[in-house]
Amino acid sequence: MKKRWVAILMSAAMVLGCGMTAMAEEDTVKVGFALKTLNGPYFVALADGVEKLCEEKGWELTTLVADEDITKEAENMETFIAQGMDIVFLNSIDPDACIPSVDAVAEAGIPLINLDSDTNSETHVTTVYSNNLENGRLSGLAYVEWLKAQGKEEEGIKAVLVSGAKGNIAGYERRGGLFAGIVQGMTGCTEEEAWAARDEIENQLIDKGTAEYPDAKLEIVGQGWGAWTVDDGLVAVEDFITANPDINCVLGENDQMLFGAMTALENAGLEGVALVAGADGAKEAFDLIKENDTAVNPYIVSGLNSPSLVAEGGIDVAQQLLDGAEWDSFEKITMTAAVGVTKENVDEWYDYGF
């Protein structure tokens, strides 16, 4: 459901909504993109996608990168207000820290669209991002389908979980989706029951650092924190692998950490360990998925977290605003397509990777 606007910003939105058509008729549309980082292929691809689409439309784009500095992000937003941008895109560092900046942009009469990262402010137009929960669930289901095709479901799943950062909402949703998909696939329960199982598994991890769900033959021997990177992903799973040489799966919240886990598995001489990403969609992962039949440790699936689709969604909303759409005519969340990318469909989705 759409959130209610505070009174002063509701008035601003109504005034702006009436004037957007006229603004769209001007020669140049000025767009500001406040990006939290370029440290990672996803963010580079997101920036490139927005730049390409703005260029195609003849819009003038200014991208300012905060380098994960909240103070710098606020300064970048102030710059966009001073420059009189027509549209602002924000990829925020922290959903709470950015609230004053988001509100200031709205008070200046500029519509703000979040890309990939959400804000807890009430005053943005919408947030465009991938459906982490559903990507994770579809990836979990795809992993179970692979197990059944290999005749391995009776062996059960003994997994290490590699997570990005404590408290990160996207990571929580991605691993939760994986848990739900695995339980649903292994037990044949309803989706509602699978989400309830997700909560039980998550609570066990919080309380003990390990989890079991016997009905799904699922055991998680530990949760490592890999900071979303290859190197930290390797370190995060090394000790768990050493202590549990009989694991048959590594569950990950993104592809980069699983790449590190692959190296850790190789270093430990382990074979036949499936790699399962709740979401990401790196083309390097797609290449590995294509080759999983011959891999020592097969890469089974990655959820589609596509920066190009996020960019397209943001530009589409911006165009509607320029054409006269009211701010509050949009849902607060705009999600891209959820897909578990496997060997069977990887060619269809390959170009949406990064």
Side-chain angles (χ1 to χ4, degrees):
M1 294 181 64
K2 303 180 183 73
K3 298 178 182 176
R4 302 181 66 180
W5 295 85
V6 293
I8 186 171
L9 292 171
M10 184 68 164
S11 300
M14 292 172 66
V15 170
L16 184 64
C18 294
M20 292 298 278
T21 301
M23 184 184 73
E25 294 171 357
E26 296 178 1
D27 290 338
T28 304
V29 173
K30 295 170 62 179
V31 179
F33 185 13
L35 186 64
K36 64 182 175 184
T37 183
L38 282 172
N39 183 20
Y42 178 91
F43 300 105
V44 173
L46 180 61
D48 289 346
V50 172
E51 180 180 9
K52 177 184 176 183
L53 292 168
C54 284
E55 187 176 304
E56 289 175 358
K57 287 184 172 290
W59 298 352
E60 181 183 300
L61 174 68
T62 300
T63 299
L64 298 178
V65 183
D67 297 320
E68 300 286 1
D69 184 330
I70 291 171
T71 300
K72 188 173 181 181
E73 178 179 84
E75 292 171 352
N76 291 343
M77 298 282 272
E78 290 172 4
T79 297
F80 290 152
I81 294 171
Q83 291 176 342
M85 294 297 180
D86 298 316
I87 299 285
V88 168
F89 293 122
L90 171 63
N91 172 245
S92 66
I93 297 168
D94 180 271
D96 291 317
C98 69
I99 290 175
S101 296
V102 173
D103 291 348
V105 170
E107 288 170 4
I110 305 169
L112 182 143
I113 302 162
N114 295 302
L115 299 182
D116 185 57
S117 300
D118 203 1
T119 171
N120 289 329
S121 170
E122 298 281 337
T123 61
H124 62 286
V125 176
T126 190
T127 296
V128 182
Y129 67 174
S130 62
N131 189 336
N132 287 308
L133 284 168
E134 188 64 3
N135 272 332
R137 189 180 73 88
L138 293 175
S139 293
L141 284 170
Y143 170 46
V144 173
E145 289 178 8
W146 178 84
L147 282 176
K148 291 179 177 179
Q150 301 292 316
K152 295 181 177 181
E153 73 273 20
E154 292 303 320
E155 298 175 12
I157 300 165
K158 187 171 185 178
V160 173
L161 170 66
V162 56
S163 297
K166 294 180 180 180
N168 181 273
I169 296 299
Y172 167 76
E173 291 179 342
R174 291 177 183 187
R175 66 178 176 267
L178 280 173
F179 301 157
I182 288 170
V183 170
Q184 187 177 4
M186 291 289 280
T187 68
C189 70
T190 67
E191 187 174 337
E192 182 179 0
E193 291 168 335
W195 289 119
R198 176 277 307 264
D199 293 337
E200 181 179 334
I201 295 167
E202 180 70 23
N203 288 334
Q204 288 184 49
L205 285 172
I206 293 170
D207 293 340
K208 304 186 299 181
T210 61
E212 289 185 81
Y213 199 84
D215 287 352
K217 298 183 174 67
L218 172 63
E219 178 185 0
I220 298 173
V221 300
Q223 179 179 21
W225 299 94
W228 309 109
T229 69
V230 175
D231 291 343
D232 289 325
L234 186 157
V235 173
V237 302
E238 276 183 324
D239 289 343
F240 294 116
I241 288 172
T242 300
N244 301 275
D246 58 340
I247 63 165
N248 57 16
C249 178
V250 179
L251 303 173
E253 292 171 12
N254 80 340
D255 290 321
Q256 300 300 312
M257 293 187 295
L258 282 185
F259 299 156
M262 288 179 67
T263 301
L265 292 169
E266 292 168 6
N267 291 344
L270 298 189
E271 298 182 1
V273 179
L275 295 134
V276 179
D280 217 14
K283 287 184 176 178
E284 184 178 349
F286 291 170
D287 290 336
L288 292 168
I289 287 168
K290 289 183 179 184
E291 301 167 358
N292 68 27
D293 287 344
T294 58
V296 172
N297 294 301
Y299 210 112
I300 306 305
V301 60
S302 182
L304 185 67
N305 179 36
S306 171
S308 61
L309 289 179
V310 170
E312 288 175 12
I315 294 294
D316 179 65
V317 172
Q319 184 63 69
Q320 292 181 60
L321 290 164
L322 294 170
D323 290 342
E326 301 283 355
W327 290 12
D328 63 351
S329 65
F330 297 90
E331 297 289 340
K332 281 301 180 184
I333 300 296
T334 302
M335 290 189 176
T336 61
V339 182
V341 180
T342 66
K343 189 168 185 177
E344 287 70 33
N345 64 7
V346 64
D347 289 333
E348 177 184 354
W349 296 102
Y350 190 88
D351 289 341
Y352 291 97
F354 58 91

